[in-house]
Amino acid sequence: MTATLELGALAAGIGETAAGITAGWHRVCLVNDLEPAWGEAALVAGRQVALFRTGPGEVLAVAHEDPATGAHVMARGILGSRGACPTIASPLHKEVYDLETGECFSTPGLRLATFSTRIIDGFVEIEL
C-alpha cells in the first residue's frame, strides 16, 4: 500500500511550514490497511513518511528518508527492539534507530525524524 494525501485533505490543524509542507494532523489510511510488523510508505502533504503498525492499536511514523544516505527506503527497514524500545534498521547500511525518538543506536549523530500519530475512528492520522 502506498498512500498519497493531497495538501487540502487535512483532518485538523491547518498551518503552513517554511518548507511549504502543510502542518497539522493528516488522515493517511485505515489502520487495518497496515500489516502488523511491516512498513508502508505514504506521501503526506508533500513529505515521504514510513508507517509501522507495531500493535493492534499502535502505529509509529518516521521519515522515509534514510539519514545516512538520503535514500527514501526506511519503510523497507527491518523492525526489531532493544528491550521494550521498538527499532528500525535501515535496509541499506543497517543503522538502528529508535522508532519513538529517532535516536540512532549504531551511529552517534544520526537522527531519524519522527512524527506523532493517532488513530481516530479506525483511521491513522499523522501530525507534521
Side-chain angles (χ1 to χ4, degrees):
M1 183 216 63
T2 300
T4 302
L5 183 67
E6 298 302 322
L7 287 175
L10 296 178
I14 298 172
E16 191 74 22
T17 67
I21 296 171
T22 306
W25 286 99
H26 303 265
R27 184 171 279 190
V28 180
C29 64
L30 287 166
V31 70
N32 290 332
D33 288 341
L34 301 174
E35 291 185 48
W38 189 258
E40 293 291 351
L43 183 60
V44 182
R47 178 131 196 195
Q48 291 188 40
V49 176
L51 301 166
F52 302 93
R53 185 173 175 186
T54 56
E58 182 178 38
V59 174
L60 298 174
V62 299
H64 190 39
E65 183 177 358
D66 182 336
T69 66
H72 290 86
V73 295
M74 294 308 292
R76 297 297 163 244
I78 303 162
L79 287 175
S81 65
R82 288 210 171 173
C85 174
T87 62
I88 183 72
S90 167
L92 296 177
H93 297 289
K94 308 304 185 256
E95 290 92 357
V96 178
Y97 299 89
D98 182 322
L99 265 176
E100 294 174 334
T101 68
E103 175 189 2
C104 184
F105 294 115
S106 54
T107 306
L110 290 180
R111 181 166 285 289
L112 184 62
T114 60
F115 305 101
S116 297
T117 62
R118 64 186 183 189
I119 298 172
I120 304 291
D121 297 327
F123 286 91
V124 176
E125 295 184 354
I126 297 174
E127 184 178 33
L128 295 182

